[in-house]
Amino acid sequence: ASDVYKRQVTNRPKELPADFDWNSAYGLYIQGEQWMNQKVYDKAEKYLTASLEKEAYFLPALTSLASLYYRQGRYEDALFNCHIALSVNAYDGYSNYLYGLCNVALGNETDAKDGFSVASYSISFRSAAYEKLAEMFLIACDWKKAEHYALKSKDFNQQNLKAVSYTHLTLPT
């Protein structure tokens, strides 16, 4: 067999730490995240909710649960968690991005733009937030602002094909 197919051994940890508290807010959150990664959403919700019962303002659990609710179309529930998360950290990129998504789904245009604008401060969400702003302005037929945000999204992430496509539209003058 070729060297490419030989088994590579890594030094990645393979055992759970014996003294880690899996029933702490963080431990329950980690378990919820693992279930989310496996797309077992009922168990993910159970563990994320349990995490928040231990620590009501645990931001990672709040945003993960908001994300889960958003995926399920439970926009009001997701928005509720976003409100709590943003009351703790008004500039959290993930919370603001989810806040924007929920508000788009619920027809709250001003709040959606606010969420995406603040999410754009975060490097992790900048391109996606600018893309969403471009999309909103495109729908509103505000061609200049749509192009402005599409270009900002593209400048930050050349691989954002949606933003690239927005910059190549033939728009009325």
Side-chain angles (χ1 to χ4, degrees):
S2 166
D3 287 340
V4 174
Y5 297 107
K6 288 184 180 176
R7 174 126 170 89
Q8 300 289 321
V9 178
T10 68
N11 294 314
R12 178 181 295 275
K14 294 172 183 72
E15 295 180 21
L16 300 173
D19 59 345
F20 183 78
D21 184 1
W22 290 100
N23 290 314
S24 66
Y26 188 67
L28 292 164
Y29 158 74
I30 291 294
Q31 292 175 80
E33 279 292 293
Q34 294 300 317
W35 288 118
M36 285 270 285
N37 292 337
Q38 296 176 49
K39 298 183 179 12
V40 182
Y41 298 126
D42 59 329
K43 288 188 178 181
E45 182 177 5
K46 173 185 161 191
Y47 283 98
L48 293 170
T49 301
S51 173
L52 292 171
E53 287 171 0
K54 295 254 181 190
E55 193 174 326
Y57 300 104
F58 188 55
L59 198 66
L62 284 165
T63 53
S64 290
L65 194 57
S67 174
L68 173 66
Y69 289 156
Y70 177 79
R71 291 176 193 186
Q72 294 175 333
R74 296 167 59 185
Y75 306 123
E76 293 285 349
D77 292 333
L79 191 58
F80 177 79
N81 280 10
C82 289
H83 276 271
I84 296 170
L86 292 173
S87 74
V88 173
N89 182 355
Y91 294 97
D92 180 67
Y94 191 23
S95 300
N96 275 287
Y97 188 73
L98 287 169
Y99 179 78
L101 290 176
C102 292
N103 278 298
V104 166
L106 294 169
N108 305 326
E109 187 176 313
T110 301
D111 287 333
K113 288 177 183 172
D114 173 57
F116 294 136
S117 293
V118 178
S120 73
Y121 299 169
S122 167
I123 290 175
S124 300
F125 293 93
R126 185 168 296 155
S127 181
Y130 284 149
E131 176 201 310
K132 288 296 184 184
L133 286 165
E135 187 176 292
M136 290 183 74
F137 285 113
L138 192 62
I139 291 167
C141 300
D142 188 335
W143 315 121
K144 285 192 181 287
K145 284 185 181 175
E147 181 181 43
H148 169 77
Y149 285 108
L151 288 169
K152 286 178 80 107
S153 178
K154 185 183 121 186
D155 285 346
F156 191 73
N157 177 5
Q158 295 290 319
Q159 302 302 313
N160 187 336
L161 298 179
K162 204 173 201 183
V164 170
S165 71
Y166 291 161
T167 62
H168 287 88
L169 294 173
T170 305
L171 305 174
T173 54

